[in-house]
Coordinates of all heavy atoms in Angstrom, one line a residue:
F133 N 66.4 107.5 125.3 CA 65.4 108.4 125.6 C 64.6 108.2 126.9 O 63.8 109.0 127.2 CB 64.5 108.5 124.4 CG 65.2 109.0 123.1 CD1 65.6 108.2 122.2 CD2 65.4 110.4 123.0 CE1 66.3 108.6 121.1 CE2 66.1 110.9 121.9 CZ 66.5 110.0 120.9
K134 N 65.0 107.1 127.5 CA 64.4 106.9 128.9 C 65.2 107.5 130.0 O 64.8 107.4 131.2 CB 64.2 105.4 129.1 CG 63.1 104.8 128.2 CD 62.9 103.3 128.5 CE 61.8 102.7 127.6 NZ 61.6 101.2 127.9
V135 N 66.4 108.0 129.7 CA 67.2 108.7 130.7 C 66.4 109.9 131.1 O 66.0 110.7 130.3 CB 68.6 109.1 130.1 CG1 69.4 109.8 131.2 CG2 69.3 107.8 129.7
P136 N 66.2 110.1 132.4 CA 65.5 111.3 132.9 C 66.2 112.6 132.4 O 67.5 112.7 132.5 CB 65.6 111.2 134.4 CG 65.8 109.7 134.7 CD 66.6 109.2 133.6
L137 N 65.5 113.6 132.0 CA 66.1 114.8 131.5 C 66.8 115.5 132.6 O 67.8 116.2 132.4 CB 65.0 115.7 131.0 CG 64.5 115.4 129.6 CD1 63.4 116.4 129.2 CD2 65.6 115.5 128.6
A138 N 66.4 115.3 133.9 CA 67.2 115.9 135.0 C 68.6 115.4 135.0 O 69.6 116.1 135.3 CB 66.5 115.5 136.3
D139 N 68.8 114.1 134.7 CA 70.2 113.6 134.6 C 70.9 114.1 133.4 O 72.1 114.4 133.5 CB 70.1 112.0 134.5 CG 69.8 111.4 135.8 OD1 69.8 112.1 136.9 OD2 69.4 110.2 135.8
V140 N 70.2 114.2 132.3 CA 70.8 114.8 131.1 C 71.3 116.2 131.3 O 72.5 116.6 131.0 CB 69.9 114.8 129.9 CG1 70.4 115.5 128.7 CG2 69.5 113.4 129.5
Y141 N 70.5 117.0 132.0 CA 70.9 118.4 132.3 C 72.0 118.5 133.4 O 72.9 119.3 133.3 CB 69.7 119.2 132.8 CG 68.6 119.4 131.7 CD1 67.2 119.5 132.1 CD2 68.9 119.5 130.4 CE1 66.3 119.7 131.1 CE2 68.0 119.6 129.4 CZ 66.6 119.8 129.8 OH 65.7 119.9 128.8
R142 N 71.9 117.6 134.4 CA 73.0 117.5 135.3 C 74.4 117.2 134.7 O 75.4 117.9 135.0 CB 72.7 116.5 136.4 CG 73.9 116.3 137.4 CD 73.6 115.2 138.4 NE 73.2 114.0 137.9 CZ 74.0 113.1 137.2 NH1 75.3 113.4 137.1 NH2 73.6 112.0 136.8
I143 N 74.4 116.3 133.8 CA 75.6 115.9 133.1 C 76.1 117.1 132.2 O 77.3 117.3 132.1 CB 75.4 114.6 132.3 CG1 75.2 113.4 133.3 CG2 76.5 114.3 131.3 CD1 74.7 112.2 132.6
R144 N 75.1 117.7 131.6 CA 75.5 119.0 130.9 C 76.2 119.9 131.8 O 77.2 120.5 131.4 CB 74.2 119.6 130.3 CG 74.4 121.0 129.7 CD 73.1 121.8 129.6 NE 72.6 122.0 130.9 CZ 71.4 122.5 131.2 NH1 70.6 122.8 130.2 NH2 71.0 122.7 132.4
D145 N 75.6 120.2 133.0 CA 76.2 121.1 133.9 C 77.6 120.7 134.4 O 78.5 121.5 134.6 CB 75.3 121.4 135.1 CG 74.0 122.1 134.7 OD1 73.9 122.7 133.6 OD2 73.0 122.0 135.5
E146 N 77.8 119.4 134.5 CA 79.1 118.9 134.9 C 80.1 119.2 133.8 O 81.3 119.5 134.1 CB 79.0 117.4 135.3 CG 78.3 117.2 136.6 CD 78.0 115.8 136.9 OE1 78.5 114.9 136.1 OE2 77.3 115.5 137.9
A147 N 79.7 119.0 132.5 CA 80.6 119.3 131.4 C 81.0 120.8 131.4 O 82.1 121.2 131.1 CB 80.0 118.9 130.1
I148 N 80.0 121.6 131.7 CA 80.2 123.1 131.7 C 81.2 123.4 132.9 O 82.2 124.2 132.7 CB 78.9 123.8 132.0 CG1 78.1 123.8 130.7 CG2 79.2 125.3 132.3 CD1 76.7 124.3 130.9
S149 N 81.0 122.7 134.0 CA 82.0 122.9 135.1 C 83.4 122.5 134.8 O 84.4 123.1 135.2 CB 81.5 122.1 136.3 OG 80.3 122.6 136.8
A150 N 83.5 121.4 134.0 CA 84.8 120.9 133.6 C 85.5 122.0 132.7 O 86.7 122.3 132.9 CB 84.7 119.6 132.8
Y151 N 84.7 122.6 131.8 CA 85.3 123.6 130.9 C 85.7 124.8 131.7 O 86.8 125.4 131.5 CB 84.2 124.0 129.9 CG 84.7 124.8 128.7 CD1 85.0 124.2 127.5 CD2 84.8 126.2 128.8 CE1 85.4 124.9 126.4 CE2 85.3 126.9 127.7 CZ 85.5 126.3 126.5 OH 86.0 127.0 125.4
Q152 N 84.8 125.2 132.7 CA 85.2 126.4 133.5 C 86.4 126.1 134.4 O 87.2 127.0 134.7 CB 83.9 126.8 134.3 CG 82.8 127.3 133.5 CD 81.5 127.6 134.2 OE1 81.2 126.8 135.2 NE2 80.8 128.6 133.9
W153 N 86.5 124.8 134.9 CA 87.6 124.5 135.7 C 88.9 124.6 134.9 O 89.9 125.1 135.4 CB 87.5 123.0 136.2 CG 88.6 122.5 137.1 CD1 88.6 122.6 138.4 CD2 89.8 121.9 136.6 NE1 89.8 122.0 138.9 CE2 90.5 121.6 137.8 CE3 90.3 121.6 135.4 CZ2 91.8 121.0 137.8 CZ3 91.6 121.0 135.3 CH2 92.3 120.7 136.5
I154 N 88.9 124.2 133.6 CA 90.1 124.3 132.8 C 90.4 125.8 132.6 O 91.6 126.2 132.6 CB 89.8 123.6 131.4 CG1 89.6 122.1 131.6 CG2 90.9 123.9 130.4 CD1 89.0 121.4 130.4
Q155 N 89.4 126.6 132.3 CA 89.6 128.1 132.2 C 90.3 128.6 133.5 O 91.2 129.4 133.4 CB 88.3 128.8 131.9 CG 87.8 128.5 130.5 CD 86.5 129.3 130.2 OE1 85.6 129.3 131.0 NE2 86.4 129.9 129.0

Side-chain angles (χ1 to χ4, degrees):
F133 294 98
K134 291 183 179 179
V135 177
L137 281 177
D139 287 346
V140 174
Y141 293 150
R142 172 183 54 74
I143 292 168
R144 171 203 63 192
D145 291 344
E146 289 171 6
I148 291 172
S149 293
Y151 195 98
Q152 292 172 326
W153 182 93
I154 295 164
Q155 289 181 313

